[in-house]
Amino acid sequence: MDLERLDRTVDVTEHGRLDLQHDMLKLAMDSIFVNADAGNRAMTARDGKTPTALDVGTGSGSWVVDCARMYPEAEVVGLDLAPANLTTFLDDVLQMLRPGGVYQMLEGSLKFYDENRQMIPPQEENDPNISWTVKMFHATRAAIRDRGPGIDSYDQVPGWLKEMGSVWEEVGTKDVFVPVGPWEKGDRKKRIIGEMNRQNVLRLVNAFRPLLLAYGYFDETIDKWILKVNEELRELKRPLYVRVGGSSLKGLAVLSSEFDSGLAPGQ
């Protein structure tokens, strides 16, 4: 298979996974928004103004499609460009928002948590309680960090938002812990979400291969990890959860900015 064809195949596969991830998160949050009320207010047309929304890091574009279907009178744009510096990006958001506009974001860090919502540290291969899923994702975090410190930025977002001070009229954050597998007995919805996330993680580990190879791991090691992860998640050997951090912010009604377009209109 030539490289161009391989790239197209990988894109189609990854877009399918991103679609699944979007549907899983939408079900887990009961909305396409972190704060459904704020999102709905921002996307509802009023005073003859067209609501607008910008999805930064749109991936497969699933969020844009859902938003456009829910608000057909709105202008919804997807941009698949990840900012290199999150702190700078948050400053830029203030310039992009209309007065009173709403900014919402989701962040994840490739970490796993137990049923008590405690982060699971990586273990050595000779540890009888090893989670191969945790080990492979920890190696992937190291490979990403080797290319830049961005992977460690997500956990710092709530603190950065507070440090920005009174530029926001409203600030809200919440954590959503999503099971990896149908652990939640007696809760059909959570079992469905868990199964969707298990499939999401199983697809994701295969996408890690090029990154891990570039970082210096051998094919044999990666093959072993993928096999172990598949076995671990298929047999549900231990409860695992991922944390998705959500932030919802409303800009001040009056901003000292020359910009008159942005992510979403104010109330």
Side-chain angles (χ1 to χ4, degrees):
M1 180 179 291
D2 62 80
L3 290 179
E4 182 178 353
R5 183 180 174 190
L6 177 61
D7 285 342
R8 290 199 300 269
T9 302
V10 171
D11 284 346
V12 170
T13 302
E14 177 62 5
H15 281 190
R17 185 194 68 78
L18 289 171
D19 288 341
L20 172 65
Q21 180 176 270
H22 168 75
D23 288 339
M24 178 266 294
L25 290 172
K26 181 172 64 174
L27 189 59
M29 297 189 302
D30 293 313
S31 173
I32 66 170
F33 300 112
V34 175
N35 183 323
D37 290 339
N40 184 61
R41 288 196 302 267
M43 294 305 298
T44 299
R46 55 176 58 81
D47 300 328
K49 294 182 179 180
T50 300
T52 59
L54 173 64
D55 182 23
V56 180
T58 193
S60 64
S62 296
W63 188 92
V64 169
V65 172
D66 272 355
C67 188
R69 286 173 175 168
M70 292 173 63
Y71 305 97
E73 72 283 3
E75 179 182 352
V76 187
V77 177
L79 175 65
D80 195 17
L81 178 63
N85 187 313
L86 267 178
T87 52
T88 301
F89 177 67
L90 292 174
D91 289 333
D92 291 342
V93 165
L94 288 172
Q95 301 299 316
M96 298 168 66
L97 281 174
R98 290 175 179 171
V102 173
Y103 168 63
Q104 300 191 8
M105 71 175 295
L106 287 175
E107 68 271 1
S109 58
L110 302 183
K111 296 178 182 178
F112 288 88
Y113 297 77
D114 61 23
E115 60 269 39
N116 297 314
R117 308 301 191 258
Q118 299 298 310
M119 190 181 70
I120 302 173
Q123 300 108 351
E124 298 298 328
E125 292 193 10
N126 59 359
D127 189 325
N129 297 316
I130 186 175
S131 167
W132 291 97
T133 309
V134 174
K135 182 173 183 60
M136 186 170 187
F137 273 68
H138 179 75
T140 303
R141 278 177 55 86
I144 296 173
R145 188 182 297 110
D146 188 60
R147 299 189 174 196
I151 190 64
D152 298 311
S153 299
Y154 298 105
D155 292 333
Q156 303 177 56
V157 169
W160 289 339
L161 295 175
K162 291 180 181 179
E163 290 174 2
M164 295 178 75
S166 60
V167 296
W168 304 109
E169 182 177 319
E170 298 175 6
V171 177
T173 61
K174 69 176 181 181
D175 288 334
V176 179
F177 286 89
V178 186
V180 185
W183 298 104
E184 307 287 348
K185 305 298 181 183
D187 191 321
R188 183 173 181 272
K189 179 182 176 182
K190 287 186 177 180
R191 288 176 63 82
I192 292 174
I193 293 171
E195 180 57 36
M196 294 172 74
N197 200 23
R198 172 164 63 174
Q199 297 305 318
N200 176 50
V201 172
L202 287 173
R203 297 184 192 184
L204 186 57
V205 294
N206 289 292
F208 288 159
R209 180 183 295 274
L211 178 64
L212 292 172
L213 285 171
Y215 190 54
Y217 287 106
F218 295 114
D219 269 314
E220 294 79 4
T221 299
I222 301 171
D223 287 339
K224 174 185 175 181
W225 287 352
I226 292 176
L227 181 64
K228 292 290 188 180
V229 169
N230 274 266
E231 178 184 299
E232 181 175 287
L233 297 185
R234 185 176 62 251
E235 299 179 6
L236 296 177
K237 290 188 174 183
R238 62 179 299 177
L240 294 174
Y241 292 79
V242 296
R243 182 190 68 82
V244 180
S247 303
S248 177
L249 307 99
K250 180 183 176 183
L252 295 175
V254 178
L255 294 177
S256 57
S257 170
E258 298 178 356
F259 292 85
D260 190 33
S261 62
L263 301 178
Q267 297 183 32

PDB file of all heavy atoms in Angstrom, residues 182-208:
ATOM      1  N   PRO A 182     -18.438  -1.728  30.368  1.00  0.00           N
ATOM      2  CA  PRO A 182     -19.745  -1.696  31.038  1.00  0.00           C
ATOM      3  C   PRO A 182     -19.666  -2.140  32.496  1.00  0.00           C
ATOM      4  O   PRO A 182     -20.184  -3.191  32.885  1.00  0.00           O
ATOM      5  CB  PRO A 182     -20.585  -2.666  30.197  1.00  0.00           C
ATOM      6  CG  PRO A 182     -19.589  -3.651  29.663  1.00  0.00           C
ATOM      7  CD  PRO A 182     -18.330  -2.864  29.412  1.00  0.00           C
ATOM      8  N   TRP A 183     -19.013  -1.312  33.334  1.00  0.00           N
ATOM      9  CA  TRP A 183     -18.833  -1.660  34.746  1.00  0.00           C
ATOM     10  C   TRP A 183     -20.079  -1.407  35.580  1.00  0.00           C
ATOM     11  O   TRP A 183     -20.329  -2.101  36.562  1.00  0.00           O
ATOM     12  CB  TRP A 183     -17.696  -0.811  35.354  1.00  0.00           C
ATOM     13  CG  TRP A 183     -16.371  -1.029  34.722  1.00  0.00           C
ATOM     14  CD1 TRP A 183     -15.736  -0.202  33.842  1.00  0.00           C
ATOM     15  CD2 TRP A 183     -15.504  -2.149  34.887  1.00  0.00           C
ATOM     16  NE1 TRP A 183     -14.534  -0.729  33.465  1.00  0.00           N
ATOM     17  CE2 TRP A 183     -14.370  -1.935  34.096  1.00  0.00           C
ATOM     18  CE3 TRP A 183     -15.584  -3.324  35.637  1.00  0.00           C
ATOM     19  CZ2 TRP A 183     -13.320  -2.833  34.030  1.00  0.00           C
ATOM     20  CZ3 TRP A 183     -14.545  -4.224  35.568  1.00  0.00           C
ATOM     21  CH2 TRP A 183     -13.433  -3.974  34.772  1.00  0.00           C
ATOM     22  N   GLU A 184     -20.802  -0.379  35.231  1.00  0.00           N
ATOM     23  CA  GLU A 184     -21.883   0.093  36.092  1.00  0.00           C
ATOM     24  C   GLU A 184     -23.071  -0.863  36.044  1.00  0.00           C
ATOM     25  O   GLU A 184     -23.903  -0.821  35.145  1.00  0.00           O
ATOM     26  CB  GLU A 184     -22.312   1.500  35.664  1.00  0.00           C
ATOM     27  CG  GLU A 184     -21.179   2.505  35.581  1.00  0.00           C
ATOM     28  CD  GLU A 184     -20.693   2.922  36.949  1.00  0.00           C
ATOM     29  OE1 GLU A 184     -21.367   2.621  37.937  1.00  0.00           O
ATOM     30  OE2 GLU A 184     -19.627   3.572  37.021  1.00  0.00           O
ATOM     31  N   LYS A 185     -23.185  -1.718  37.033  1.00  0.00           N
ATOM     32  CA  LYS A 185     -24.265  -2.689  37.092  1.00  0.00           C
ATOM     33  C   LYS A 185     -25.594  -1.994  37.390  1.00  0.00           C
ATOM     34  O   LYS A 185     -25.665  -1.113  38.223  1.00  0.00           O
ATOM     35  CB  LYS A 185     -23.992  -3.745  38.167  1.00  0.00           C
ATOM     36  CG  LYS A 185     -22.641  -4.460  38.017  1.00  0.00           C
ATOM     37  CD  LYS A 185     -22.546  -5.218  36.708  1.00  0.00           C
ATOM     38  CE  LYS A 185     -21.213  -5.952  36.588  1.00  0.00           C
ATOM     39  NZ  LYS A 185     -21.070  -6.632  35.285  1.00  0.00           N
ATOM     40  N   GLY A 186     -26.634  -2.416  36.697  1.00  0.00           N
ATOM     41  CA  GLY A 186     -27.958  -1.887  36.967  1.00  0.00           C
ATOM     42  C   GLY A 186     -28.235  -0.538  36.362  1.00  0.00           C
ATOM     43  O   GLY A 186     -29.333  -0.004  36.520  1.00  0.00           O
ATOM     44  N   ASP A 187     -27.269   0.066  35.674  1.00  0.00           N
ATOM     45  CA  ASP A 187     -27.462   1.360  35.037  1.00  0.00           C
ATOM     46  C   ASP A 187     -27.218   1.189  33.540  1.00  0.00           C
ATOM     47  O   ASP A 187     -26.077   1.220  33.076  1.00  0.00           O
ATOM     48  CB  ASP A 187     -26.501   2.400  35.630  1.00  0.00           C
ATOM     49  CG  ASP A 187     -26.837   3.819  35.200  1.00  0.00           C
ATOM     50  OD1 ASP A 187     -27.210   3.999  34.031  1.00  0.00           O
ATOM     51  OD2 ASP A 187     -26.703   4.749  36.027  1.00  0.00           O
ATOM     52  N   ARG A 188     -28.288   1.008  32.805  1.00  0.00           N
ATOM     53  CA  ARG A 188     -28.178   0.683  31.381  1.00  0.00           C
ATOM     54  C   ARG A 188     -27.465   1.777  30.600  1.00  0.00           C
ATOM     55  O   ARG A 188     -26.623   1.493  29.734  1.00  0.00           O
ATOM     56  CB  ARG A 188     -29.566   0.437  30.790  1.00  0.00           C
ATOM     57  CG  ARG A 188     -29.543   0.020  29.314  1.00  0.00           C
ATOM     58  CD  ARG A 188     -30.935  -0.377  28.828  1.00  0.00           C
ATOM     59  NE  ARG A 188     -30.882  -0.781  27.433  1.00  0.00           N
ATOM     60  CZ  ARG A 188     -31.004   0.061  26.406  1.00  0.00           C
ATOM     61  NH1 ARG A 188     -31.212   1.360  26.653  1.00  0.00           N
ATOM     62  NH2 ARG A 188     -30.951  -0.363  25.154  1.00  0.00           N
ATOM     63  N   LYS A 189     -27.780   3.031  30.909  1.00  0.00           N
ATOM     64  CA  LYS A 189     -27.166   4.138  30.182  1.00  0.00           C
ATOM     65  C   LYS A 189     -25.659   4.148  30.392  1.00  0.00           C
ATOM     66  O   LYS A 189     -24.887   4.278  29.430  1.00  0.00           O
ATOM     67  CB  LYS A 189     -27.770   5.462  30.636  1.00  0.00           C
ATOM     68  CG  LYS A 189     -27.156   6.677  29.946  1.00  0.00           C
ATOM     69  CD  LYS A 189     -27.756   7.969  30.459  1.00  0.00           C
ATOM     70  CE  LYS A 189     -27.076   9.175  29.842  1.00  0.00           C
ATOM     71  NZ  LYS A 189     -27.622  10.449  30.358  1.00  0.00           N
ATOM     72  N   LYS A 190     -25.213   3.991  31.644  1.00  0.00           N
ATOM     73  CA  LYS A 190     -23.778   4.004  31.923  1.00  0.00           C
ATOM     74  C   LYS A 190     -23.088   2.784  31.316  1.00  0.00           C
ATOM     75  O   LYS A 190     -21.921   2.864  30.914  1.00  0.00           O
ATOM     76  CB  LYS A 190     -23.542   4.065  33.426  1.00  0.00           C
ATOM     77  CG  LYS A 190     -23.853   5.424  34.036  1.00  0.00           C
ATOM     78  CD  LYS A 190     -23.460   5.491  35.502  1.00  0.00           C
ATOM     79  CE  LYS A 190     -23.717   6.875  36.076  1.00  0.00           C
ATOM     80  NZ  LYS A 190     -23.337   6.960  37.512  1.00  0.00           N
ATOM     81  N   ARG A 191     -23.796   1.671  31.234  1.00  0.00           N
ATOM     82  CA  ARG A 191     -23.204   0.486  30.601  1.00  0.00           C
ATOM     83  C   ARG A 191     -23.009   0.717  29.103  1.00  0.00           C
ATOM     84  O   ARG A 191     -22.006   0.301  28.524  1.00  0.00           O
ATOM     85  CB  ARG A 191     -24.080  -0.742  30.850  1.00  0.00           C
ATOM     86  CG  ARG A 191     -24.021  -1.243  32.288  1.00  0.00           C
ATOM     87  CD  ARG A 191     -24.986  -2.400  32.518  1.00  0.00           C
ATOM     88  NE  ARG A 191     -24.652  -3.557  31.703  1.00  0.00           N
ATOM     89  CZ  ARG A 191     -23.727  -4.444  32.003  1.00  0.00           C
ATOM     90  NH1 ARG A 191     -23.037  -4.328  33.128  1.00  0.00           N
ATOM     91  NH2 ARG A 191     -23.483  -5.473  31.221  1.00  0.00           N
ATOM     92  N   ILE A 192     -23.973   1.398  28.479  1.00  0.00           N
ATOM     93  CA  ILE A 192     -23.840   1.728  27.056  1.00  0.00           C
ATOM     94  C   ILE A 192     -22.674   2.688  26.849  1.00  0.00           C
ATOM     95  O   ILE A 192     -21.855   2.510  25.943  1.00  0.00           O
ATOM     96  CB  ILE A 192     -25.151   2.336  26.526  1.00  0.00           C
ATOM     97  CG1 ILE A 192     -26.256   1.275  26.512  1.00  0.00           C
ATOM     98  CG2 ILE A 192     -24.943   2.916  25.124  1.00  0.00           C
ATOM     99  CD1 ILE A 192     -27.619   1.826  26.150  1.00  0.00           C
ATOM    100  N   ILE A 193     -22.598   3.705  27.700  1.00  0.00           N
ATOM    101  CA  ILE A 193     -21.491   4.677  27.611  1.00  0.00           C
ATOM    102  C   ILE A 193     -20.156   3.967  27.808  1.00  0.00           C
ATOM    103  O   ILE A 193     -19.187   4.221  27.085  1.00  0.00           O
ATOM    104  CB  ILE A 193     -21.672   5.786  28.668  1.00  0.00           C
ATOM    105  CG1 ILE A 193     -22.892   6.634  28.342  1.00  0.00           C
ATOM    106  CG2 ILE A 193     -20.413   6.656  28.762  1.00  0.00           C
ATOM    107  CD1 ILE A 193     -23.283   7.617  29.433  1.00  0.00           C
ATOM    108  N   GLY A 194     -20.100   3.058  28.800  1.00  0.00           N
ATOM    109  CA  GLY A 194     -18.865   2.324  29.067  1.00  0.00           C
ATOM    110  C   GLY A 194     -18.435   1.461  27.892  1.00  0.00           C
ATOM    111  O   GLY A 194     -17.250   1.376  27.570  1.00  0.00           O
ATOM    112  N   GLU A 195     -19.400   0.816  27.248  1.00  0.00           N
ATOM    113  CA  GLU A 195     -19.065  -0.016  26.083  1.00  0.00           C
ATOM    114  C   GLU A 195     -18.580   0.846  24.922  1.00  0.00           C
ATOM    115  O   GLU A 195     -17.626   0.491  24.219  1.00  0.00           O
ATOM    116  CB  GLU A 195     -20.274  -0.844  25.654  1.00  0.00           C
ATOM    117  CG  GLU A 195     -20.019  -1.748  24.460  1.00  0.00           C
ATOM    118  CD  GLU A 195     -18.855  -2.707  24.685  1.00  0.00           C
ATOM    119  OE1 GLU A 195     -18.678  -3.194  25.830  1.00  0.00           O
ATOM    120  OE2 GLU A 195     -18.106  -2.966  23.718  1.00  0.00           O
ATOM    121  N   MET A 196     -19.214   1.996  24.731  1.00  0.00           N
ATOM    122  CA  MET A 196     -18.763   2.911  23.675  1.00  0.00           C
ATOM    123  C   MET A 196     -17.338   3.369  23.953  1.00  0.00           C
ATOM    124  O   MET A 196     -16.508   3.443  23.029  1.00  0.00           O
ATOM    125  CB  MET A 196     -19.709   4.108  23.586  1.00  0.00           C
ATOM    126  CG  MET A 196     -21.115   3.766  23.125  1.00  0.00           C
ATOM    127  SD  MET A 196     -22.255   5.176  23.250  1.00  0.00           S
ATOM    128  CE  MET A 196     -21.712   6.177  21.862  1.00  0.00           C
ATOM    129  N   ASN A 197     -17.028   3.653  25.221  1.00  0.00           N
ATOM    130  CA  ASN A 197     -15.682   4.117  25.554  1.00  0.00           C
ATOM    131  C   ASN A 197     -14.670   2.985  25.445  1.00  0.00           C
ATOM    132  O   ASN A 197     -13.509   3.227  25.090  1.00  0.00           O
ATOM    133  CB  ASN A 197     -15.657   4.717  26.963  1.00  0.00           C
ATOM    134  CG  ASN A 197     -14.475   5.633  27.177  1.00  0.00           C
ATOM    135  OD1 ASN A 197     -13.902   6.173  26.235  1.00  0.00           O
ATOM    136  ND2 ASN A 197     -14.092   5.813  28.430  1.00  0.00           N
ATOM    137  N   ARG A 198     -15.089   1.766  25.762  1.00  0.00           N
ATOM    138  CA  ARG A 198     -14.163   0.635  25.588  1.00  0.00           C
ATOM    139  C   ARG A 198     -13.766   0.511  24.117  1.00  0.00           C
ATOM    140  O   ARG A 198     -12.580   0.335  23.794  1.00  0.00           O
ATOM    141  CB  ARG A 198     -14.807  -0.668  26.078  1.00  0.00           C
ATOM    142  CG  ARG A 198     -13.961  -1.895  25.742  1.00  0.00           C
ATOM    143  CD  ARG A 198     -14.348  -3.124  26.527  1.00  0.00           C
ATOM    144  NE  ARG A 198     -15.703  -3.601  26.285  1.00  0.00           N
ATOM    145  CZ  ARG A 198     -16.193  -4.731  26.802  1.00  0.00           C
ATOM    146  NH1 ARG A 198     -15.424  -5.482  27.593  1.00  0.00           N
ATOM    147  NH2 ARG A 198     -17.433  -5.103  26.558  1.00  0.00           N
ATOM    148  N   GLN A 199     -14.749   0.592  23.225  1.00  0.00           N
ATOM    149  CA  GLN A 199     -14.438   0.522  21.801  1.00  0.00           C
ATOM    150  C   GLN A 199     -13.584   1.709  21.361  1.00  0.00           C
ATOM    151  O   GLN A 199     -12.700   1.568  20.513  1.00  0.00           O
ATOM    152  CB  GLN A 199     -15.743   0.472  20.988  1.00  0.00           C
ATOM    153  CG  GLN A 199     -16.594  -0.760  21.249  1.00  0.00           C
ATOM    154  CD  GLN A 199     -15.819  -2.048  21.018  1.00  0.00           C
ATOM    155  OE1 GLN A 199     -15.056  -2.169  20.048  1.00  0.00           O
ATOM    156  NE2 GLN A 199     -16.004  -3.015  21.908  1.00  0.00           N
ATOM    157  N   ASN A 200     -13.836   2.864  21.942  1.00  0.00           N
ATOM    158  CA  ASN A 200     -13.049   4.054  21.634  1.00  0.00           C
ATOM    159  C   ASN A 200     -11.582   3.844  22.010  1.00  0.00           C
ATOM    160  O   ASN A 200     -10.675   4.147  21.220  1.00  0.00           O
ATOM    161  CB  ASN A 200     -13.631   5.249  22.393  1.00  0.00           C
ATOM    162  CG  ASN A 200     -12.841   6.521  22.221  1.00  0.00           C
ATOM    163  OD1 ASN A 200     -12.507   6.927  21.111  1.00  0.00           O
ATOM    164  ND2 ASN A 200     -12.516   7.170  23.333  1.00  0.00           N
ATOM    165  N   VAL A 201     -11.340   3.328  23.221  1.00  0.00           N
ATOM    166  CA  VAL A 201      -9.967   3.102  23.682  1.00  0.00           C
ATOM    167  C   VAL A 201      -9.290   2.019  22.849  1.00  0.00           C
ATOM    168  O   VAL A 201      -8.109   2.150  22.483  1.00  0.00           O
ATOM    169  CB  VAL A 201      -9.958   2.734  25.180  1.00  0.00           C
ATOM    170  CG1 VAL A 201      -8.556   2.300  25.623  1.00  0.00           C
ATOM    171  CG2 VAL A 201     -10.432   3.912  26.026  1.00  0.00           C
ATOM    172  N   LEU A 202     -10.007   0.945  22.527  1.00  0.00           N
ATOM    173  CA  LEU A 202      -9.418  -0.128  21.733  1.00  0.00           C
ATOM    174  C   LEU A 202      -8.996   0.368  20.352  1.00  0.00           C
ATOM    175  O   LEU A 202      -7.970  -0.069  19.807  1.00  0.00           O
ATOM    176  CB  LEU A 202     -10.415  -1.286  21.595  1.00  0.00           C
ATOM    177  CG  LEU A 202     -10.633  -2.126  22.858  1.00  0.00           C
ATOM    178  CD1 LEU A 202     -11.769  -3.123  22.649  1.00  0.00           C
ATOM    179  CD2 LEU A 202      -9.350  -2.864  23.249  1.00  0.00           C
ATOM    180  N   ARG A 203      -9.752   1.265  19.783  1.00  0.00           N
ATOM    181  CA  ARG A 203      -9.372   1.835  18.487  1.00  0.00           C
ATOM    182  C   ARG A 203      -8.213   2.817  18.640  1.00  0.00           C
ATOM    183  O   ARG A 203      -7.349   2.916  17.761  1.00  0.00           O
ATOM    184  CB  ARG A 203     -10.569   2.550  17.849  1.00  0.00           C
ATOM    185  CG  ARG A 203     -11.741   1.645  17.521  1.00  0.00           C
ATOM    186  CD  ARG A 203     -12.837   2.425  16.811  1.00  0.00           C
ATOM    187  NE  ARG A 203     -14.078   1.677  16.729  1.00  0.00           N
ATOM    188  CZ  ARG A 203     -15.162   2.101  16.084  1.00  0.00           C
ATOM    189  NH1 ARG A 203     -15.131   3.264  15.457  1.00  0.00           N
ATOM    190  NH2 ARG A 203     -16.263   1.377  16.067  1.00  0.00           N
ATOM    191  N   LEU A 204      -8.204   3.507  19.756  1.00  0.00           N
ATOM    192  CA  LEU A 204      -7.183   4.534  19.962  1.00  0.00           C
ATOM    193  C   LEU A 204      -5.794   3.931  20.099  1.00  0.00           C
ATOM    194  O   LEU A 204      -4.815   4.508  19.607  1.00  0.00           O
ATOM    195  CB  LEU A 204      -7.533   5.355  21.207  1.00  0.00           C
ATOM    196  CG  LEU A 204      -6.661   6.574  21.501  1.00  0.00           C
ATOM    197  CD1 LEU A 204      -6.654   7.540  20.326  1.00  0.00           C
ATOM    198  CD2 LEU A 204      -7.162   7.280  22.760  1.00  0.00           C
ATOM    199  N   VAL A 205      -5.667   2.794  20.771  1.00  0.00           N
ATOM    200  CA  VAL A 205      -4.329   2.222  20.983  1.00  0.00           C
ATOM    201  C   VAL A 205      -3.664   1.864  19.659  1.00  0.00           C
ATOM    202  O   VAL A 205      -2.437   1.950  19.537  1.00  0.00           O
ATOM    203  CB  VAL A 205      -4.376   0.988  21.917  1.00  0.00           C
ATOM    204  CG1 VAL A 205      -4.795   1.385  23.312  1.00  0.00           C
ATOM    205  CG2 VAL A 205      -5.284  -0.099  21.378  1.00  0.00           C
ATOM    206  N   ASN A 206      -4.449   1.479  18.677  1.00  0.00           N
ATOM    207  CA  ASN A 206      -3.866   1.180  17.370  1.00  0.00           C
ATOM    208  C   ASN A 206      -3.343   2.447  16.698  1.00  0.00           C
ATOM    209  O   ASN A 206      -2.364   2.402  15.950  1.00  0.00           O
ATOM    210  CB  ASN A 206      -4.915   0.508  16.476  1.00  0.00           C
ATOM    211  CG  ASN A 206      -5.242  -0.904  16.916  1.00  0.00           C
ATOM    212  OD1 ASN A 206      -4.420  -1.803  16.830  1.00  0.00           O
ATOM    213  ND2 ASN A 206      -6.451  -1.102  17.423  1.00  0.00           N
ATOM    214  N   ALA A 207      -3.983   3.572  16.978  1.00  0.00           N
ATOM    215  CA  ALA A 207      -3.548   4.840  16.388  1.00  0.00           C
ATOM    216  C   ALA A 207      -2.260   5.351  17.017  1.00  0.00           C
ATOM    217  O   ALA A 207      -1.601   6.235  16.452  1.00  0.00           O
ATOM    218  CB  ALA A 207      -4.654   5.885  16.535  1.00  0.00           C
ATOM    219  N   PHE A 208      -1.878   4.805  18.177  1.00  0.00           N
ATOM    220  CA  PHE A 208      -0.660   5.247  18.862  1.00  0.00           C
ATOM    221  C   PHE A 208       0.615   4.717  18.200  1.00  0.00           C
ATOM    222  O   PHE A 208       1.710   5.209  18.480  1.00  0.00           O
ATOM    223  CB  PHE A 208      -0.663   4.781  20.317  1.00  0.00           C
ATOM    224  CG  PHE A 208      -1.637   5.516  21.199  1.00  0.00           C
ATOM    225  CD1 PHE A 208      -2.068   4.954  22.402  1.00  0.00           C
ATOM    226  CD2 PHE A 208      -2.125   6.758  20.852  1.00  0.00           C
ATOM    227  CE1 PHE A 208      -2.963   5.620  23.222  1.00  0.00           C
ATOM    228  CE2 PHE A 208      -3.017   7.432  21.668  1.00  0.00           C
ATOM    229  CZ  PHE A 208      -3.435   6.860  22.853  1.00  0.00           C
TER     230      PHE A 208
END
